[in-house]
Amino acid sequence: MQKAFLVDGSICLGCNTCAMACKNQYHQDTGILWRKVREVGAEDYLIDNNNILPTLVSYQKAPKVTMPIERFYFSLACNHCENPACVAICPVGAHTKDPETGICKHDQTICIGCGGCVKACPFGASKFNAKMGQAEKCSMCWERQADGKTTACVQACPVGAIAIIDLHDPKYKELGTSAPVGIDYAINAETKPSTRFIHPHMPKEIYRQPKG
Amino acid sequence: MSYSKEKVDTLLHNGISRRNFLKGLAASGVLSSFPGGLLEANEDLNTKIPYLGEKSYETFRNACPRNCYDTCSIKTFVKDGVMQFIEGAQESTYTRGGCCVKGNSYVKRVYSARRLKYPMLQVGGKGSGQWKRISWDDAMEIIAKKLLEIKKDDGTMLGAALTKYSGNFGITHYGIEGMFNSIGYTTRLAGTPCWPAGIDAQNLDMGNMWCNDPEEMKDSKFIILWGVNPASNSVHSMKYIYEAKKKGAKVVVIDPVFTEMASKSSQYIQIKTGTDGLLALGMQKIIIDAKLHDQKWLDANSKGFKELKEYLDKDIKLDDVSKVTGIPLEMIKELALSFAKAKPATIWMGYGMQRHTNGGSMIRAIDALVAVTGNVGKYAGGARYGHLSTWGFNYAALSMPKPEGSVGYTGPEGAKGEFAHGGGGEKAAYTDRFLNINKTARELLNSKGPKVRLLWVACKNPFSQDFDRNQLIRAFKQLDMVVVADQFFNETAKWADIVLPVATQFEENDVNVSYWHYWLSLNEQAIKPIFEVKSDVQIAALLSKHMNKLEKGSCTFPQSVDTKEMTIKEFNPGIYAQFGIKSWEELKHGPVKAKAVIPYADGKFQTPSGKYEFYSEKALELFGSALPKYLEVRKPYDKFRMTSPHSRWSLHSQFQNLEWMEDVHPEPSVYINPDDAKMKMVNEGDTVAVFNKQGLLRLKAKITDNVQPGTVLMYEQWYNNNIYNVNELVDDTSSDMGAFKTGAPGVALHDTFVNFRKI
Ligand code: SF4
Ligand code: SF4
Ligand code: SF4
Ligand code: SF4
């Protein structure tokens, strides 16, 4: 099994309910969001120096697109990669990949705050909490899932724009692509991110007032 | 950072500057070492808490009482007396397990270090920033003395005024009005800044404001979202709209702004602001000319269709419709005909559209379009605006008798606002005095016979939401005493003499319904009130205790209340029957929905004729036109139109001030069309001054064709850390309707004009 987020940019409202639901559940410190609602077409593509790991050769950036501002979004957290850089780099085993679900978990009780994962992750999913002197990230609400619930973000999304799917289940095979557009995101990364995307699109018919 | 308890106490016990006051507030967060210690109010120190499994928590039923379509049913998870997290209730198909971005910030709201914690007295006078912490007893004694002094001087209590609106729509919060009822005949700021013109319009047409269940929209075949933006402001309605769209319904958005909703529609049509009524009339004409109107329904259920048709034939020229609305005639025709052919079809009208000088007339014209096509009284149809049909509570907290011998106002009696319920049927010799809430500053300044001397502000933040700020400062300054009951130190509190810290819904009991959907939720007290906060009705009880101590019989409000008992008293057999429950206790298992009724399906309208009235004598009498005639919108008085819609990050002045909200949306912007920006040489990210005869704001520009040329957009919000307030640019010009049902006309907020330049 490889659990993964399927994010549907065609219906996502950009309402940030999911990001706030995550804060509601875990009380991340001010300034830290494990889930971030990313605006399509609005991001600066950084030349990042995250790419320092020997395990990572290089990766491409998602193509840029132009979209009206503040209208189209992908909601992203940790990608729960099939080949996670965070797990590979952590010297104390605070990051683990659950063999059953494929969830990449971070255990704050072991984390020594070396910051390796924060630099190694091509997606910036691991955050460094300066006050705690530790890393933290989305662990796909594995405790909630083990308790028979879905993740806080999925449950809170008012339109079902995030879903949990199993990449190894053939019925999800055709759902979405692994490459988003319009956000600063590494595609074809060796970590093999599991997140799948449904692209946003403009309404079929649009009429705007003429100039003047 | 470290603060000692002693240091904080000294800070709070002495007269301190506002700066220190705020610092004191932040510091005092540490005072609260909560049981379990999982949560600390010190914003520097809240960090990851683990999820411990459903069984490890105590759960409570709550509801979001904000002025929001969605009125979410909430489930609150508490451990060791500390709120851990919330979820939307799963039992409600409408809330469906999740709140919005605002609702999900509630834990932070409760434990925010920015919360008001103690009663405070502004010892240096209003706006001085010299604050002192006082006890509840001292605060109440000061207020009670002032009230009794007013009564002694004037012989009536009319010098005491209350302004309360939508900060908390929980039913027991009408106890605030109850508190004022219980001291005598007083002055009330009446009316509503929100939706009055539309309420009047719907009442003139149909004798009520009553919308179909939003959940039915999933089965609509054609949906027009007219000046409404649920993708931002009623996110729980979106699943029904998406479902309809998935099943093949066309979802058309007509809006001056390419909104979040527009971006998710099948078709977006940009209209010139304030011309929507004319578009609706043009569409009716096209439909009637094509004989696609529902003659059978009209014959049986309407009055004045003939007159309407004559007016359309004679006065509505389609070429003019196209020119004025800025929409090509072919597109209007196509829209009209496809709307008329789809059954059932529905239109949802937003509240922004009626905040114009011709707002009520526009809602009437759109109602008529729905009626002409026979979509009124149909499942999944309807002219949707809002409803109050599930609000039939006892209003026990509101219905307090006047003290014996009370003397009041003898002028003509007006209506009291859209939620005016209960409270004595017999005609009294006196009434309260009603001032127009939408002209608060002016009305307070001009009040005579007797002058208003004390103002109590509850569930409202006039300095953020009202207009004419400079006048408002003058008005507040000349009052003997301003009391502000709130949860945060907002702009209005700054101009108070006394601030009283108010409980959140998690710290009290209440019951909630919506003006949009049909669910009923119990709100249980989930945690003990933190610090010294009290619920509004407990404040009323304490006031009553002090007034009666000073003068026996001067206040009839119970001297001690239990919010749970208060809540139980609100239920009655009518509510039980409507919701199919035997007792309020059933609500502990989750929210329940009212039995399904299709509004007007029985063809009964509460209009004078008993029918749908295209031609309304009442409208003629009150507003000078029996038919939903086209009325031109206010003429520009400056270069650009300014529109100030609701933001998704806040509900009026609530939520945006929270630390967590700053993480997802830190600062305001002004949205400018690229053509206008080019002309004014403004680039993305530049700081611009936006100004008019009312005031001036400085903020960052975002360039986008989401707004049409000639229009700038800024959201109405209150930031904790930013003096930005869009209402400083808005004057108090009235909309056309509102006086019929809510006691005062609305405000033409969106008929504001400004200019801007780069600075
Ligand atoms: S994924 Fe859902 S909750 Fe998150 S922003 Fe999109 S619509 Fe809102
Ligand atoms: S996204 Fe980053 S943090 Fe998450 S599993 Fe992949 S490498 Fe690790
Ligand atoms: S799965 Fe859980 S931890 Fe991850 S973003 Fe969603 S709510 Fe946060
Ligand atoms: S603000 Fe509205 S949508 Fe958000 S939680 Fe409250 S009622 Fe629900």
Side-chain angles (χ1 to χ4, degrees), chain B residues 91-133:
Chain B
E91 294 82 1
S92 163
T93 48
Y94 187 81
T95 302
R96 205 183 65 180
C99 292
C100 74
V101 64
K102 301 174 282 287
N104 276 296
S105 70
Y106 268 130
V107 175
K108 190 66 193 175
R109 178 164 170 152
V110 171
Y111 296 112
S112 170
R114 296 171 183 175
R115 240 188 115 179
L116 282 171
K117 298 174 177 66
Y118 316 104
M120 305 283 285
L121 175 70
Q122 190 156 210
V123 285
K126 299 181 192 77
S128 68
Q130 302 288 318
W131 290 92
K132 188 178 159 202
R133 176 178 165 185

Side-chain angles (χ1 to χ4, degrees), chain B residues 477-547:
Chain B
K477 275 193 164 165
Q478 57 135 40
L479 294 165
D480 291 3
M481 186 178 293
V482 175
V483 180
V484 172
D486 211 300
Q487 292 168 356
F488 291 93
F489 191 79
N490 59 29
E491 283 295 293
T492 306
K494 206 167 143 185
W495 296 99
D497 295 289
I498 292 180
V499 295
L500 303 174
V502 172
T504 62
Q505 78 263 33
F506 303 100
E507 296 157 309
E508 64 185 11
N509 293 278
D510 210 340
V511 53
N512 297 74
V513 284
S514 157
Y515 51 75
W516 179 240
H517 63 65
Y518 284 84
W519 289 85
L520 166 67
S521 314
L522 189 66
N523 182 79
E524 299 176 295
Q525 182 174 340
I527 52 167
K528 285 212 191 88
I530 67 166
F531 297 96
E532 291 185 7
V533 305
K534 284 187 193 302
S535 85
D536 282 303
V537 286
Q538 284 168 334
I539 296 174
L542 196 60
L543 179 70
S544 182
K545 194 173 128 200
H546 281 272
M547 287 193 66

